[in-house]
Amino acid sequence: LIGGKTKDGTERQYLYNLIFRNAQRLLKLINQLLEFRKIEIGAVELSIRPGDMVKFLNDITNLFRSQALQRNIQLSFHASESQIMTAFDYDKIEKVVFNLLSNAFKFTPDNGKISVELIQNGSGSNPGDHSGMNGTRFIRIIVKDTGVGIDKEHIDHVFEKFYQVGEYQRFSSGSGLGLAYIKELIEIHGGKIAVSSTPGKGTSFNVFIPIITIDDDAVSYKTRDTGSLATENTPLESDFKPGDPLQEPTVYTPAKVDDPAVQKVDTILIVEDDADLMNYLGKILSEYQILLAKNGLSGYHFALEMQPDLIISDIMMPEMDGLELCRKLKSNIITSHIPVILLTARSLIEQKIEGFEIGADEYIEKPFNDSMLFARIKNLIDSRKKLRERFLNDFVLEPKDIKLTSADEKLIHNVILLIEKNLSESEFNIDEMCKQFYLSRSHFTRKIKQLTGLSPIELLTSFRLKRASKLLLQGKVSISEISYMVGFEHPNSLSRAFRKEFGMSPSEYVEKNKSHTEI
C-alpha cells in the first residue's frame, strides 16, 4: 500500500528494487568500515596478478558511458601506450578508480567533461614530477572533471576520514569515507595520491602506482577476492538506466487523465538530485500532478514557468542547493506565495533556523514518514486555499488582517490601490496593470490567480461590482451614474455583469437588501 492505494505488481516490484538497492548501499558502507578496521590492524594484503592496465582502466571507464550519455557529459579515456603490462591488485585498483569516477560524476554538472588518463611515467625522480615516489618507476592515473571544485583551505583535508569538503558537503549526503578509503588502498599498493582543484572549474586526482615487473620472483599471484567491497560511491547497475527521472522536463499526472477534475488537481514540484528518492516521491504523491527537477537551478526555472501549488526540495544539491532555492523563491514576487517544504538528512538546528528564516514553510528530516509528509502537504495547500477564499471575501478592504508573505502583501496592496485609482476608467485593463508591476502578462496572471483564484480581469470586474453594490445600497446616486463611476461604459453593461455576479438585477439587489440599509 502506498498513500492508501493498492499498487499493482509492477509498482510493488519497483519498491522492492528500491529497498534492495538501498540495502546494498548500506551493506557496502558497513563493509567499507570493516575494511578500514582491517587496514588499521594490518590485516589487508595485496592480491596481485599480471595484467594490462590500459585495458583494465578502459573497461572500468566504459561502465560509466551510459551515465555520461544520459547527462550529456563528455567522458574520455587516453593512455600514453597501447599496452602497459604490470602486476597489480585488481580489486583495490578497481575500487580506487570507481570511487574517483563516481565522485567526478556526482560533482560535475550536465554537459561537463570527465577524463581518465593513464601515463607510464618511468621514474618518479623526474624534476617535474610531484608524485613523491622517490625514484620508483610508476604509472600515473589521472581522473579529471569540470565540476564544482574544492576550496584551497580544504585541499589538505580531503583524505581525512569523515571530512566533507566545502561545496562537496553542500551537494553530497555521503559519509566522508570515500577519499580516505582509497588513499589507504593506494598506500597499501605502495602508491601515492594527490589532488589539485580550482573552485568552479574542476578537480584533478593523480594516483601514482609503482610498476611491478611481471617476472619478478617476489610477486605473489594470489587469487582475487571475489567478495568485492565496493566504496560508497560505486554505481549500482540500476542507477544509470535510460529513462531515469533525471531527464527533464518530467511530469507525473494522476491516473484518470480523462476526468475533467484532473484539470483542478494541485501541482507539486519535487526538486531532488537522487533519482530513487525523486521517483519514490513521484509515486507516493500520485493523487497530485507532479513536476520533477533534478537540482535547484532547474527547480527555480520550473517554479517561475509552471507556478506549482507546492514545492518539495532537498537541501544538498548541485548547482543550487535547497536553501538558496528557497531564498530565491521567497524573494521573487512571482513565486513568493508558493509553500516550500525542505527535506534533509541532516538535523543541525542551525540549518533548520536558516531554512525558516529565509521563508521555508516546513522542514522535514529524512527518513520521513509518508503519512506525516501527506499531512503537511495537505495542510499547506488547504491553508493557501482558505487564505484565497478569505481574501476574496474581504477584497474590498485593505488586506491588513490577511497573513501573506511580505512580498505578496505588498503586491496585493498595490493592486488594490491601482484598481481604486483607475476604477472609473473603462479602458483600464490587465496590460496597464502588468506595466505598473513590470511583470509579463503570463507571470502576472498566474500570480494573481494563485493568490485570489481569479484572473486579473475577473478580479477587476469583481472589485467593480462589489463597489457598485455598496454604492447602490447607499442610495445616493442613480444606477447610470454608478456604472460610470466603477468603469462600465453603459448601464446595461453593469446590469448584465451584476446579474451574472449576484444572480439578480441591480434594482432587485437593492430591494432585497433594503432592510439592511434602513435605520
Side-chain angles (χ1 to χ4, degrees), residues 314-360:
D314 191 12
I315 286 187
M316 292 177 291
M317 296 180 294
E319 295 193 55
M320 182 189 293
D321 63 30
L323 292 174
E324 179 62 20
L325 170 62
C326 184
R327 182 180 292 107
K328 289 179 72 68
L329 289 170
K330 294 300 184 180
S331 61
N332 191 322
I333 190 65
I334 298 171
T335 55
S336 58
H337 63 280
I338 303 175
V340 177
I341 296 177
L342 293 177
L343 298 179
T344 182
R346 303 182 184 278
S347 57
L348 294 176
I349 189 65
E350 294 84 359
Q351 195 177 57
K352 289 185 179 181
I353 292 173
E354 183 180 3
F356 286 127
E357 285 180 343
I358 61 178

Side-chain angles (χ1 to χ4, degrees), residues 88-354:
F88 58 96
D89 188 317
Y90 280 46
D91 180 59
K92 292 178 177 57
I93 299 302
E94 179 183 22
K95 291 173 183 175
V96 168
V97 178
F98 257 112
N99 193 297
L100 291 176
L101 274 172
S102 296
N103 271 345
F105 273 90
K106 182 182 294 185
F107 303 115
T108 299
D110 293 357
N111 307 308
K113 295 181 181 179
I114 296 174
S115 64
V116 179
E117 190 172 0
L118 177 62
I119 303 173
Q120 183 171 325
N121 287 61
S123 173
S125 59
N126 186 325
D129 168 53
H130 301 287
S131 65
M133 297 296 290
N134 299 321
T136 303
R137 295 177 63 247
F138 63 90
I139 57 174
R140 178 166 58 169
I141 303 168
I142 306 168
V143 178
K144 188 175 181 180
D145 64 61
T146 58
V148 297
I150 305 170
D151 290 334
K152 185 178 296 184
E153 65 264 27
H154 298 296
I155 286 289
D156 293 337
H157 304 284
V158 295
F159 299 112
E160 295 176 8
K161 243 189 301 188
F162 306 115
Y163 190 86
Q164 294 180 306
V165 183
E167 290 295 299
Y168 275 39
Q169 185 175 3
R170 292 174 59 206
F171 302 150
S172 173
S173 57
S175 64
L177 280 174
L179 293 177
Y181 179 55
I182 65 173
K183 179 175 182 290
E184 296 286 352
L185 296 180
I186 292 168
E187 290 181 349
I188 288 173
H189 219 294
K192 301 283 185 181
I193 183 170
V195 58
S196 60
S197 184
T198 302
K201 294 186 176 181
T203 302
S204 177
F205 286 93
N206 285 253
V207 177
F208 304 88
I209 302 293
I211 293 177
I212 300 176
T213 305
I214 293 178
D215 58 3
D216 192 335
D217 294 336
V219 173
S220 173
Y221 303 133
K222 295 184 181 180
T223 302
R224 182 187 178 196
D225 178 12
T226 57
S228 177
L229 303 176
T231 72
E232 64 174 318
N233 293 317
T234 301
L236 302 174
E237 181 180 355
S238 58
D239 284 346
F240 308 127
K241 291 180 180 177
D244 256 347
L246 295 179
Q247 296 292 329
E248 294 186 281
T250 308
V251 180
Y252 286 171
T253 56
K256 296 182 179 180
V257 179
D258 296 330
D259 188 341
V262 168
Q263 300 301 321
K264 299 180 181 179
V265 169
D266 295 310
T267 301
I268 296 177
L269 170 61
I270 298 173
V271 188
E272 173 61 66
D273 64 332
D274 182 273
D276 279 335
L277 181 55
M278 179 192 284
N279 215 359
Y280 178 72
L281 286 169
K283 287 180 179 293
I284 67 171
L285 300 175
S286 58
E287 65 187 75
Y288 299 97
Q289 176 165 294
I290 300 298
L291 305 173
L292 302 179
K294 64 184 176 181
N295 58 53
L297 187 59
S298 298
Y300 182 63
H301 292 307
F302 251 164
L304 288 173
E305 182 65 26
M306 307 300 289
Q307 292 283 295
D309 295 288
L310 183 137
I311 296 172
I312 300 174
S313 175
D314 191 12
I315 286 187
M316 292 177 291
M317 296 180 294
E319 295 193 55
M320 182 189 293
D321 63 30
L323 292 174
E324 179 62 20
L325 170 62
C326 184
R327 182 180 292 107
K328 289 179 72 68
L329 289 170
K330 294 300 184 180
S331 61
N332 191 322
I333 190 65
I334 298 171
T335 55
S336 58
H337 63 280
I338 303 175
V340 177
I341 296 177
L342 293 177
L343 298 179
T344 182
R346 303 182 184 278
S347 57
L348 294 176
I349 189 65
E350 294 84 359
Q351 195 177 57
K352 289 185 179 181
I353 292 173
E354 183 180 3

Side-chain angles (χ1 to χ4, degrees), residues 22-66:
N22 281 284
Q24 281 184 308
R25 291 189 177 101
L26 182 59
L27 176 62
K28 288 173 182 178
L29 181 57
I30 293 171
N31 282 336
Q32 192 178 83
L33 289 168
L34 292 173
E35 185 85 346
F36 254 119
R37 179 57 180 162
K38 288 168 67 177
I39 292 172
E40 288 175 346
I41 64 175
V44 175
E45 298 179 350
L46 283 177
S47 296
I48 59 177
R49 57 190 176 97
D52 178 9
M53 184 65 80
V54 176
K55 182 180 185 304
F56 183 76
L57 292 186
N58 189 49
D59 288 345
I60 294 175
T61 304
N62 285 335
L63 294 175
F64 290 82
R65 294 289 177 189
S66 62

